Amino acid sequence: QVRLVESGGGLGQPGGSLRLSCTASGFISGVHTMGWFRQAPEKQREWVAAIKTSNGSTNYADSVKGRFTISRDNAKNTVYLQMNSLKPEDTAVYYCYTDRFRARDWGQGTQVTVSS
């Protein structure tokens, strides 16, 4: 399987920025997509963003479009989520994931709290 280790979560201020990272190891051959979900308290899991590892094409949820940027460094097997213009509604546990043939792997989740 793919092991995913996340970092960068914590406390952010409204209007501020945080940068999440997720590094993959293990059986990483065949990974074609990396991305992020989030889950706020008492809400369902929400897809946030994804990036193709091959060509770098990106997709975003409407709720974060224009504020968040997903990127990758293939040499480091790492995906990033740059979170700008943070809102309290962004408070959630953020989960990194990878997609390969018939397999989705997940990170452990990292807490993001946006509060003044």
Side-chain angles (χ1 to χ4, degrees):
Q1 66 178 45
V2 178
R3 184 186 180 216
L4 302 172
V5 179
E6 303 173 356
S7 63
L11 178 64
Q13 295 185 336
S17 298
L18 287 172
R19 187 184 187 228
L20 308 182
S21 65
C22 173
T23 299
S25 62
F27 193 71
I28 59 176
S29 63
V31 172
H32 58 78
T33 302
M34 301 185 73
W36 298 87
F37 278 78
R38 67 184 182 185
Q39 187 164 21
E42 300 181 347
K43 295 183 179 179
Q44 67 180 24
R45 184 184 295 178
E46 175 189 24
W47 175 79
V48 175
I51 185 168
K52 298 289 187 182
T53 58
S54 57
N55 59 18
S57 65
T58 58
N59 292 100
Y60 299 93
D62 289 341
S63 58
V64 306
K65 193 171 298 182
R67 300 188 299 118
F68 291 10
T69 302
I70 188 170
S71 62
R72 92 287 196 216
D73 185 336
N74 287 345
K76 298 180 179 179
N77 298 314
T78 298
V79 65
Y80 306 93
L81 187 67
Q82 179 68 44
M83 308 164 60
N84 297 329
S85 302
L86 286 168
K87 303 176 179 180
E89 307 93 272
D90 297 321
T91 296
V93 177
Y94 284 72
Y95 298 91
C96 173
Y97 74 92
T98 61
D99 283 338
R100 50 189 172 94
F101 180 66
R102 297 186 62 83
R104 174 165 287 176
D105 295 286
W106 296 92
Q108 78 284 357
T110 184
Q111 176 70 48
V112 171
T113 301
V114 182
S115 175
S116 59

